[in-house]
Amino acid sequence: MKIDIESLSKSDFKPKYKSEESLGFGKIFTDRMFVIKYEKGAWQEPATIKKFSPVILDPSAICLHYGQTIFEGMKAYRTEDSHINLFRPEKNAARFNSSARRMMMVEFPPDAFIDGIKELLVLEKDWAPKSPGTSLYIRPTMIGTEPGLGVRPSTDYIFYIILSPSGPYFPEGFQCVKIFVSEFYIRAAPGGTGSAKTGGNYAASLLVGKEAEEHGCSQVLWLDAISKKYVEEVGASNIFFVYEDDIYTAPLTLGTILPGVTRESTIQLAKDMGFTVKEEALSIETVIEGIHSGKIAEVFMSGTAASIAPVGSLYYQNKEHIINNFEIGDISSKLYRTLSDIQYGRVDDHYGWIVPVC
Ligand code: COI
């Protein structure tokens, strides 16, 4: 793929953030973005790396009315010697295209996906923060831009990549979070769009998110849509339960769960630490009983933005159920440390997961 790099004038450069402690998540963006359009049945080369600027859309654009939008969440990790690492980017490129197929959008070539990210990172690397737990969050996005109100797949698309220097996703950092179990609303049904990374899945979660907040919870735990009995996933991540020494996470088979890159990596790391990992659905009743009997010793989330994040309690049926005295468990800590050590280049990556960029 050919990429034109537009030069920026002095006034195009934004002032850098003042402190890494107050970055938050996804609040500020770097100076440049990567953009390429799909028109007349083909990706229109050259792609451009240009000043970070608004995307101009026809008010009738299909993405705005019928939700043809997909995205990925990735991170660039700054190593101690100031190099930049990507983590399994080929997995994100593949998942992006799987989301595209489900949403009847065009696919983007995986090599170009990774090259676009790398080229942009080379130019923007000074924006990558250094403090522990921070990263340069990467958001590849594609939207259907064809104007018109007929319900149909768009003929035209924009694919773009933006970068956001970010702190930990949860403001509390690596600390236990409270989770609200949604008993009425559902996230995804078999045959729906649950396994695609598309905006509508997140929009549908906002109403319960508000209810969760009212109970002091920062995330929602979704149950399966049919029986409302089995635990599936959390709004911004997958979820794991340590139950009688084995580790459980919901299976991907019904297509209702986002196939997380961190989920897959966590399963691998846990197996290599000697744990048995079962991709089996646990019922919410088993989980609540397990929390009270002590059979569930730990619960943790996994996601790109969230990394490994321990869960301190579940709010279910008007009651807070406290896990492990609201303390971070050893397995969550070990997985968090091992995963971050690989991502930040502090240990040898014998999995071949790291792609060094610059
Ligand atoms: C990620 O983990 O990168 C995600 O995309 C979740 C998000 C919606 C914050």
Side-chain angles (χ1 to χ4, degrees):
M1 173 185 52
K2 285 200 205 72
I3 306 177
D4 266 2
I5 299 177
E6 285 182 9
S7 16
L8 266 52
S9 62
K10 224 171 157 196
S11 62
D12 290 332
F13 291 97
K14 302 172 187 171
K16 287 269 169 353
Y17 45 85
K18 291 216 170 61
S19 94
E20 296 195 354
E21 284 65 48
S22 56
L23 279 173
F25 175 79
K27 292 187 182 161
I28 58 168
F29 297 91
T30 69
D31 296 315
R32 300 175 175 89
M33 64 195 289
F34 171 100
V35 187
I36 185 165
K37 288 187 176 172
Y38 183 93
E39 284 165 3
K40 302 184 191 87
W43 288 105
Q44 300 296 313
E45 291 192 36
T48 317
I49 292 184
K50 60 173 202 167
K51 180 182 165 183
F52 183 96
S53 49
V55 174
I56 304 209
L57 290 174
D58 189 285
S60 72
I62 283 181
C63 61
L64 299 176
H65 299 266
Y66 305 128
Q68 271 196 309
T69 71
I70 58 169
F71 67 93
E72 270 304 316
M74 304 165 70
K75 281 178 175 171
Y77 302 88
R78 189 188 277 281
T79 64
E80 269 153 26
D81 53 359
S82 247
H83 291 293
I84 299 288
N85 280 347
L86 285 171
F87 182 72
R88 312 187 81 181
E90 70 291 346
K91 292 273 167 196
N92 297 90
R95 187 173 63 182
F96 191 75
N97 281 340
S98 145
S99 300
R101 288 190 293 275
R102 178 63 184 85
M103 303 307 291
M104 277 298 283
M105 298 165 76
V106 289
E107 295 188 31
F108 191 66
D111 288 351
F113 181 98
I114 296 172
D115 286 352
I117 291 172
K118 283 183 172 172
E119 288 290 328
L120 187 60
L121 284 175
V122 167
L123 291 163
E124 301 292 72
K125 61 176 184 301
D126 289 349
W127 283 91
K130 302 178 178 64
S131 320
T134 63
S135 61
L136 189 52
Y137 186 77
I138 307 168
R139 183 48 72 88
T141 306
M142 182 162 63
I143 55 176
T145 53
E146 188 197 351
L149 296 182
V151 179
R152 61 179 181 277
S154 180
T155 51
D156 301 346
Y157 295 87
I158 296 181
F159 170 87
Y160 60 84
I161 306 166
I162 52 177
L163 306 175
S164 174
S166 290
Y169 185 67
F170 295 110
E172 46 277 66
F174 187 62
Q175 292 295 332
C176 287
V177 295
K178 298 182 184 188
I179 295 206
F180 180 85
V181 183
S182 173
E183 292 174 61
F184 177 70
Y185 294 104
I186 54 132
R187 174 184 175 275
T193 58
S195 64
K197 216 158 166 58
T198 183
N201 288 341
Y202 296 84
S205 74
L206 300 178
L207 182 59
V208 196
K210 187 165 172 279
E211 210 181 325
E213 250 175 51
E214 285 162 6
H215 289 96
C217 299
S218 45
Q219 287 287 303
V220 175
L221 175 62
W222 300 102
L223 302 178
D224 77 282
I226 310 261
S227 66
K228 304 240 180 82
K229 195 169 161 197
Y230 294 100
V231 167
E232 294 214 320
E233 71 175 327
V234 177
S237 61
N238 299 116
I239 188 160
F240 289 77
F241 299 87
V242 181
Y243 184 89
E244 289 188 321
D245 296 333
D246 291 339
I247 303 182
Y248 286 75
T249 194
L252 302 177
T253 38
L254 290 176
T256 51
I257 306 241
L258 193 80
V261 178
T262 314
R263 174 188 180 279
E264 190 186 314
S265 313
T266 303
I267 292 174
Q268 179 75 56
L269 291 175
K271 283 183 177 166
D272 292 352
M273 287 173 187
F275 294 102
T276 301
V277 182
K278 297 184 173 167
E279 292 183 61
E280 284 173 30
L282 284 182
S283 73
I284 185 68
E285 293 309 329
T286 307
V287 168
I288 299 296
E289 272 169 35
I291 290 173
H292 291 289
S293 67
K295 283 182 181 168
I296 290 204
E298 289 182 44
V299 180
F300 59 89
M301 299 176 274
S302 76
T304 298
S307 182
I308 302 284
V311 179
S313 69
L314 295 185
Y315 191 91
Y316 178 60
Q317 294 188 331
N318 299 315
K319 202 167 159 236
E320 187 177 9
H321 303 268
I322 310 265
I323 303 155
N324 190 30
N325 287 328
F326 217 85
E327 283 165 20
I328 304 173
D330 291 345
I331 301 173
S332 321
S333 299
K334 200 167 169 201
L335 284 165
Y336 172 73
R337 234 184 7 256
T338 309
L339 182 67
S340 334
D341 283 349
I342 296 173
Q343 291 169 329
Y344 287 92
R346 292 189 289 258
V347 293
D348 281 344
D349 161 34
H350 54 262
Y351 294 100
W353 288 344
I354 291 303
V355 175
V357 178
C358 51

